[in-house]
Protein backbone atom coordinates (compact mmCIF):
# COMPACT_ATOMS: atom_id res chain seq x y z
CA UNK A 1 0.00 0.00 0.00
CA UNK A 2 1.26 3.46 -1.02
CA UNK A 3 4.81 2.24 -1.51
CA UNK A 4 6.16 5.75 -2.07
CA UNK A 5 5.31 6.70 1.50
CA UNK A 6 7.46 5.84 4.53
CA UNK A 7 6.52 3.21 7.08
CA UNK A 8 4.45 4.76 9.86
CA UNK A 9 3.14 7.48 7.56
CA UNK A 10 0.51 9.98 8.69
CA UNK A 11 -2.75 10.13 6.73
CA UNK A 12 -5.60 12.65 6.81
CA UNK A 13 -9.03 11.77 5.39
CA UNK A 14 -11.71 14.44 5.08
CA UNK A 15 -15.33 13.36 4.74
CA UNK A 16 -14.38 10.39 6.92
CA UNK A 17 -17.99 9.61 7.88
CA UNK A 18 -19.22 9.45 4.28
CA UNK A 19 -19.36 6.33 2.16
CA UNK A 20 -16.02 6.58 0.36
CA UNK A 21 -14.22 8.45 3.15
CA UNK A 22 -15.21 5.83 5.70
CA UNK A 23 -14.05 3.06 3.36
CA UNK A 24 -10.70 4.78 2.78
CA UNK A 25 -10.12 4.99 6.54
CA UNK A 26 -10.97 1.29 6.90
CA UNK A 27 -8.71 0.32 3.98
CA UNK A 28 -5.79 2.27 5.44
CA UNK A 29 -6.19 0.70 8.85
CA UNK A 30 -6.22 -2.80 7.37
CA UNK A 31 -2.55 -2.22 6.59
CA UNK A 32 0.20 -2.05 9.19
CA UNK A 33 2.00 0.70 7.26
CA UNK A 34 0.17 3.84 8.49
CA UNK A 35 1.27 5.09 11.89
CA UNK A 36 -1.57 7.59 12.29
CA UNK A 37 -4.86 8.01 10.43
CA UNK A 38 -6.80 11.21 11.14
CA UNK A 39 -10.44 11.20 10.11
CA UNK A 40 -12.12 14.58 9.71
CA UNK A 41 -15.89 14.91 9.49
CA UNK A 42 -18.68 17.00 10.95
CA UNK A 43 -19.43 14.25 13.48
CA UNK A 44 -17.11 12.06 15.53
CA UNK A 45 -16.31 8.68 14.05
CA UNK A 46 -15.04 5.88 16.25
CA UNK A 47 -12.71 3.05 15.23
CA UNK A 48 -11.21 0.29 17.38
CA UNK A 49 -7.73 0.77 15.89
CA UNK A 50 -5.64 2.95 18.27
CA UNK A 51 -3.93 4.55 15.27
CA UNK A 52 -7.19 6.30 14.36
CA UNK A 53 -7.95 9.82 15.55
CA UNK A 54 -11.28 11.55 14.92
CA UNK A 55 -11.61 15.30 14.48
CA UNK A 56 -15.19 16.59 14.46
CA UNK A 57 -14.81 19.66 12.25
CA UNK A 58 -16.69 21.21 9.35
CA UNK A 59 -13.92 22.12 6.91
CA UNK A 60 -16.43 23.83 4.61
CA UNK A 61 -16.44 26.66 7.16
CA UNK A 62 -13.52 28.98 8.03
CA UNK A 63 -13.68 28.02 11.71
CA UNK A 64 -13.31 24.33 10.85
CA UNK A 65 -10.30 24.94 8.62
CA UNK A 66 -8.64 27.08 11.29
CA UNK A 67 -9.26 24.40 13.93
CA UNK A 68 -7.81 21.72 11.64
CA UNK A 69 -4.66 23.74 11.00
CA UNK A 70 -4.29 24.34 14.73
CA UNK A 71 -4.82 20.67 15.59
CA UNK A 72 -2.17 19.55 13.10
CA UNK A 73 0.32 22.23 14.21
CA UNK A 74 2.40 21.74 11.04
CA UNK A 75 2.72 17.96 11.58
CA UNK A 76 4.01 16.55 8.27
CA UNK A 77 1.28 14.79 6.32
CA UNK A 78 2.18 12.02 3.90
CA UNK A 79 -1.32 11.32 2.62
CA UNK A 80 -4.31 13.63 2.26
CA UNK A 81 -7.50 12.08 0.90
CA UNK A 82 -10.36 14.52 0.36
CA UNK A 83 -13.65 12.65 0.06
CA UNK A 84 -15.96 15.65 0.51
CA UNK A 85 -18.51 16.18 -2.23
CA UNK A 86 -22.10 17.18 -2.88
CA UNK A 87 -24.55 16.35 -5.66
CA UNK A 88 -27.93 16.88 -4.02
CA UNK A 89 -29.42 18.04 -0.74
CA UNK A 90 -33.10 17.41 -0.06
CA UNK A 91 -33.15 19.81 2.90
CA UNK A 92 -32.04 22.66 0.65
CA UNK A 93 -34.10 21.41 -2.32
CA UNK A 94 -30.94 20.99 -4.40
CA UNK A 95 -30.71 18.39 -7.14
CA UNK A 96 -29.11 17.92 -10.56
CA UNK A 97 -30.59 20.20 -13.19
CA UNK A 98 -32.03 18.71 -16.38
CA UNK A 99 -32.40 22.00 -18.27
CA UNK A 100 -31.49 25.70 -18.13
CA UNK A 101 -34.87 26.53 -16.61
CA UNK A 102 -33.84 24.54 -13.51
CA UNK A 103 -30.82 26.72 -12.72
CA UNK A 104 -30.81 28.40 -9.33
CA UNK A 105 -28.05 30.77 -8.23
CA UNK A 106 -28.04 29.70 -4.57
CA UNK A 107 -27.94 26.00 -5.42
CA UNK A 108 -25.12 26.55 -7.90
CA UNK A 109 -23.15 28.57 -5.37
CA UNK A 110 -23.60 25.87 -2.72
CA UNK A 111 -22.27 23.10 -4.98
CA UNK A 112 -19.38 25.28 -6.08
CA UNK A 113 -18.55 26.00 -2.42
CA UNK A 114 -18.57 22.34 -1.35
CA UNK A 115 -17.02 20.76 -4.45
CA UNK A 116 -14.48 23.37 -5.53
CA UNK A 117 -13.84 26.10 -2.97
CA UNK A 118 -13.63 23.80 0.07
CA UNK A 119 -10.97 21.45 -1.40
CA UNK A 120 -8.88 24.46 -2.46
CA UNK A 121 -9.12 26.13 0.95
CA UNK A 122 -8.31 22.78 2.54
CA UNK A 123 -4.99 22.75 0.68
CA UNK A 124 -4.38 26.32 1.81
CA UNK A 125 -4.90 25.30 5.44
CA UNK A 126 -2.72 22.21 5.06
CA UNK A 127 0.25 24.02 3.54
CA UNK A 128 2.35 23.93 6.77
CA UNK A 129 1.90 20.14 6.85
CA UNK A 130 2.65 19.63 3.15
CA UNK A 131 5.69 21.89 2.79
CA UNK A 132 9.14 20.36 3.01
CA UNK A 133 10.84 17.44 1.31
CA UNK A 134 8.85 14.51 2.66
CA UNK A 135 6.77 12.30 0.33
CA UNK A 136 3.21 13.67 0.24
CA UNK A 137 0.34 12.35 -1.85
CA UNK A 138 -2.88 14.34 -2.12
CA UNK A 139 -6.01 12.79 -3.59
CA UNK A 140 -9.23 14.72 -4.09
CA UNK A 141 -12.45 13.14 -5.37
CA UNK A 142 -13.61 14.47 -8.70
CA UNK A 143 -16.10 13.05 -11.22
CA UNK A 144 -16.05 12.16 -14.88
CA UNK A 145 -19.03 14.46 -15.43
CA UNK A 146 -16.67 17.31 -14.55
CA UNK A 147 -14.77 16.59 -17.77
CA UNK A 148 -15.46 19.28 -20.37
CA UNK A 149 -14.12 17.10 -23.17
CA UNK A 150 -16.33 14.16 -22.18
CA UNK A 151 -19.59 16.11 -21.82
CA UNK A 152 -21.93 14.69 -24.43
CA UNK A 153 -25.17 14.39 -22.47
CA UNK A 154 -25.55 17.87 -20.95
CA UNK A 155 -27.56 18.51 -17.80
CA UNK A 156 -26.26 18.48 -14.23
CA UNK A 157 -24.98 22.02 -14.76
CA UNK A 158 -23.88 22.93 -11.25
CA UNK A 159 -22.29 19.58 -10.41
CA UNK A 160 -20.43 19.43 -13.72
CA UNK A 161 -19.20 23.01 -13.40
CA UNK A 162 -18.17 22.65 -9.75
CA UNK A 163 -16.13 19.52 -10.50
CA UNK A 164 -14.53 21.17 -13.53
CA UNK A 165 -13.59 24.09 -11.26
CA UNK A 166 -12.29 21.61 -8.68
CA UNK A 167 -10.02 20.08 -11.30
CA UNK A 168 -8.58 23.43 -12.35
CA UNK A 169 -7.96 24.44 -8.74
CA UNK A 170 -6.18 21.15 -8.00
CA UNK A 171 -4.16 21.37 -11.23
CA UNK A 172 -3.08 24.91 -10.33
CA UNK A 173 -2.24 23.95 -6.76
CA UNK A 174 -0.11 21.08 -8.10
CA UNK A 175 2.11 23.62 -9.87
CA UNK A 176 2.65 25.61 -6.68
CA UNK A 177 3.02 22.59 -4.40
CA UNK A 178 5.82 21.31 -6.61
CA UNK A 179 7.82 24.35 -5.51
CA UNK A 180 6.88 23.96 -1.85
CA UNK A 181 7.64 20.24 -1.76
CA UNK A 182 9.35 18.52 -4.71
CA UNK A 183 8.19 15.14 -3.35
CA UNK A 184 4.48 16.01 -3.41
CA UNK A 185 1.82 14.84 -5.84
CA UNK A 186 -1.81 15.93 -6.29
CA UNK A 187 -4.30 13.70 -8.10
CA UNK A 188 -7.96 14.25 -9.01
CA UNK A 189 -9.68 10.86 -8.85
CA UNK A 190 -12.95 9.68 -10.39
CA UNK A 191 -14.34 6.83 -8.26
CA UNK A 192 -16.97 5.56 -10.67
CA UNK A 193 -20.58 5.19 -9.57
CA UNK A 194 -20.35 4.12 -5.94
CA UNK A 195 -23.15 2.78 -3.78
CA UNK A 196 -23.33 5.73 -1.39
CA UNK A 197 -25.92 8.30 -0.32
CA UNK A 198 -24.59 10.69 -2.99
CA UNK A 199 -25.53 8.37 -5.87
CA UNK A 200 -28.51 6.58 -4.29
CA UNK A 201 -31.27 8.53 -6.13
CA UNK A 202 -29.57 7.95 -9.49
CA UNK A 203 -28.69 4.25 -9.39
CA UNK A 204 -31.75 2.84 -11.16
CA UNK A 205 -30.17 2.87 -14.64
CA UNK A 206 -26.70 1.85 -13.52
CA UNK A 207 -25.78 -1.75 -14.54
CA UNK A 208 -24.95 -3.99 -11.60
CA UNK A 209 -21.35 -4.39 -12.75
CA UNK A 210 -20.92 -0.60 -12.88
CA UNK A 211 -22.21 0.11 -9.37
CA UNK A 212 -19.25 -0.30 -7.04
CA UNK A 213 -19.10 -0.85 -3.31
CA UNK A 214 -17.33 1.82 -1.29
CA UNK A 215 -14.79 -0.77 -0.11
CA UNK A 216 -13.89 -1.69 -3.69
CA UNK A 217 -13.56 1.97 -4.68
CA UNK A 218 -11.36 2.79 -1.69
CA UNK A 219 -8.97 -0.04 -2.52
CA UNK A 220 -8.87 0.89 -6.19
CA UNK A 221 -8.27 4.60 -5.59
CA UNK A 222 -5.47 3.91 -3.13
CA UNK A 223 -3.92 1.54 -5.68
CA UNK A 224 -4.20 4.19 -8.41
CA UNK A 225 -2.68 6.79 -6.10
CA UNK A 226 0.21 4.41 -5.51
CA UNK A 227 1.16 4.82 -9.19
CA UNK A 228 1.40 8.60 -8.90
CA UNK A 229 4.68 10.30 -8.12
CA UNK A 230 5.78 13.95 -8.23
CA UNK A 231 6.26 13.72 -11.99
CA UNK A 232 2.53 12.95 -12.39
CA UNK A 233 1.29 15.70 -10.07
CA UNK A 234 -1.88 17.33 -11.37
CA UNK A 235 -3.31 14.22 -13.07
CA UNK A 236 -7.00 13.34 -13.48
CA UNK A 237 -7.47 9.56 -13.28
CA UNK A 238 -10.37 7.16 -12.88
CA UNK A 239 -10.70 4.19 -10.53
CA UNK A 240 -8.99 1.93 -13.08
CA UNK A 241 -6.00 4.25 -13.39
CA UNK A 242 -6.96 5.54 -16.84
CA UNK A 243 -6.62 9.27 -17.65
CA UNK A 244 -9.84 11.29 -17.82
CA UNK A 245 -10.11 14.13 -20.35
CA UNK A 246 -10.11 17.61 -18.89
Amino acid sequence: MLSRLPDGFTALVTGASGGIGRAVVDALLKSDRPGRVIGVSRTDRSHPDPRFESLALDVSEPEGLAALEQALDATPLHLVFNAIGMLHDERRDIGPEKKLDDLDAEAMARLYHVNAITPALLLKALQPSLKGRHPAQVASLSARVGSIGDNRLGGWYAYRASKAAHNMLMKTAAVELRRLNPEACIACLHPGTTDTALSKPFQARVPDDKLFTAAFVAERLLAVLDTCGPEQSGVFLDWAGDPVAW
Side-chain angles (χ1 to χ4, degrees), residues 21-90:
R22 179 183 293 271
V24 168
V25 168
D26 292 343
L28 288 170
L29 292 173
K30 284 181 181 178
S31 168
D32 60 2
R33 298 204 62 242
R36 183 184 182 194
V37 177
I38 306 166
V40 180
S41 57
R42 285 177 292 182
T43 57
D44 270 318
R45 187 207 160 169
S46 61
H47 198 286
D49 195 306
R51 294 173 296 166
F52 180 72
E53 175 184 343
S54 177
L55 292 178
L57 303 171
D58 184 354
V59 295
S60 70
E61 299 295 337
E63 298 80 9
L65 287 170
L68 175 59
E69 186 174 355
Q70 183 177 12
L72 291 173
D73 193 25
T75 298
L77 291 174
H78 303 96
L79 171 66
V80 174
F81 197 106
N82 173 50
I84 294 173
M86 177 183 174
L87 172 58
H88 57 90
D89 186 335
E90 291 183 2

Side-chain angles (χ1 to χ4, degrees), residues 9 12 27 54 57 78 98-99 109 134 136 153 162 166 168 180 184 186 190 202 215 217 222 228:
F9 67 82
L12 176 80
S54 177
L57 303 171
H78 303 96
K98 295 182 179 179
K99 55 187 184 299
H134 61 283
L153 297 176
S162 65
H166 164 279
M168 177 58 84
L180 301 177
I186 294 180
H190 165 61
F202 314 101
V217 167
L222 289 173
C228 300

Side-chain angles (χ1 to χ4, degrees), residues 139-185:
S140 192
L141 287 187
S142 185
R144 193 181 299 276
V145 295
S147 165
I148 295 174
D150 192 59
N151 184 358
R152 299 177 181 84
L153 297 176
W156 291 34
Y157 285 85
Y159 189 67
R160 287 184 184 275
S162 65
K163 287 299 186 178
H166 164 279
N167 294 345
M168 177 58 84
L169 289 166
M170 294 300 105
K171 181 77 170 180
T172 304
V175 175
E176 181 175 359
L177 190 57
R178 190 176 300 120
R179 298 192 295 266
L180 301 177
N181 184 344
E183 296 300 316
C185 174

Side-chain angles (χ1 to χ4, degrees), residues 199-216:
S199 70
K200 189 69 70 177
F202 314 101
Q203 293 178 5
R205 296 185 180 180
V206 179
D208 290 343
D209 62 341
K210 295 297 184 181
L211 180 63
F212 305 139
T213 67
F216 171 80

